[in-house]
Amino acid sequence: SITFSVGPYLYFEDFTNAAEGWRKVAGPGFLGVSSGVFAHTPPGFSVWCEYAYTRRVFGNARYEADVFVDSLVLNTCVVWRAPDTTQLTGSGGAYQARFNNSSLTPGGTGHFVLEKFDPQGRTVLLDIPNRFVGLNHLEVNDTGTMLQVVINGTSYGNISVGGLTPAPPGYIFLVGGDRG
């Protein structure tokens, strides 16, 4: 069994006033803060975008995010351990938690997909056939060799990543898909 200790927050952002430290790195769309929500401004087709938190890197930790999934959005992603703040690629060494409503990305349409980006390509670690439309609380406990995913209080088990290329400390990204 694995025990995760709860300690002080290393980073917390509620987007009450702004998105300090977050920088757009790719895509034609924009995220902005409105009423404490970091969201597309305005939503529409072909407005995907990637934002990176540029002030520090993160490693073994518990990552939590509240993610609102619109029924029309193509995908919304939380990424951690990205090696740099350029556009994400399939060989970047990061982990990605994706709420997917698109057939244009790996994983089933309407699924939650957890994957690892490696120099060898993308590895799907978890595929949950649930659209998770609405507000969702995502927790990922990352010990370096094991991941545990909890969505809305439901644990989806322990996932061994010890056989994959180790993910070094890296940056956090938010990726907004089209239309929401």
Side-chain angles (χ1 to χ4, degrees):
S1 85
I2 296 176
T3 302
F4 296 97
S5 61
V6 177
Y9 283 112
L10 299 176
Y11 169 74
F12 175 81
E13 178 63 70
D14 64 3
F15 301 112
T16 303
N17 299 313
E20 289 186 29
W22 288 90
R23 181 173 63 88
K24 181 181 173 185
V25 296
F30 293 94
L31 294 179
V33 176
S34 175
S35 302
V37 175
F38 199 31
H40 279 107
T41 58
F45 288 93
S46 298
V47 293
W48 70 273
C49 52
E50 296 178 1
Y51 279 72
Y53 184 71
T54 59
R55 294 192 176 169
R56 61 172 296 179
V57 297
F58 299 86
N60 297 354
R62 182 176 75 203
Y63 297 89
E64 294 184 54
D66 291 318
V67 179
F68 186 84
V69 179
D70 187 292
S71 63
L72 297 177
V73 74
L74 296 186
N75 69 65
T76 303
C77 309
V78 177
V79 180
W80 69 101
R81 293 188 184 244
D84 58 44
T85 57
T86 60
Q87 183 175 356
L88 291 171
T89 65
S91 61
Y95 290 107
Q96 176 173 266
R98 179 168 25 88
F99 293 90
N100 188 33
N101 284 336
S102 170
S103 61
L104 303 175
T105 55
T109 300
H111 290 205
F112 170 86
V113 178
L114 176 69
E115 59 190 331
K116 171 100 168 56
F117 293 175
D118 255 346
Q120 296 78 27
R122 294 169 109 162
T123 301
V124 173
L125 303 171
L126 180 64
D127 187 335
I128 303 169
N130 184 337
R131 292 187 67 199
F132 294 103
V133 173
L135 184 61
N136 298 279
H137 184 76
L138 170 68
E139 295 177 40
V140 179
N141 294 300
D142 178 352
T143 67
T145 59
M146 185 84 61
L147 301 176
Q148 180 186 48
V149 174
V150 178
I151 303 172
N152 300 328
T154 301
S155 174
Y156 291 92
N158 295 322
I159 302 160
S160 174
V161 293
L164 299 173
T165 304
Y171 296 92
I172 295 175
F173 274 72
L174 296 176
V175 181
D178 290 349
R179 297 184 296 199

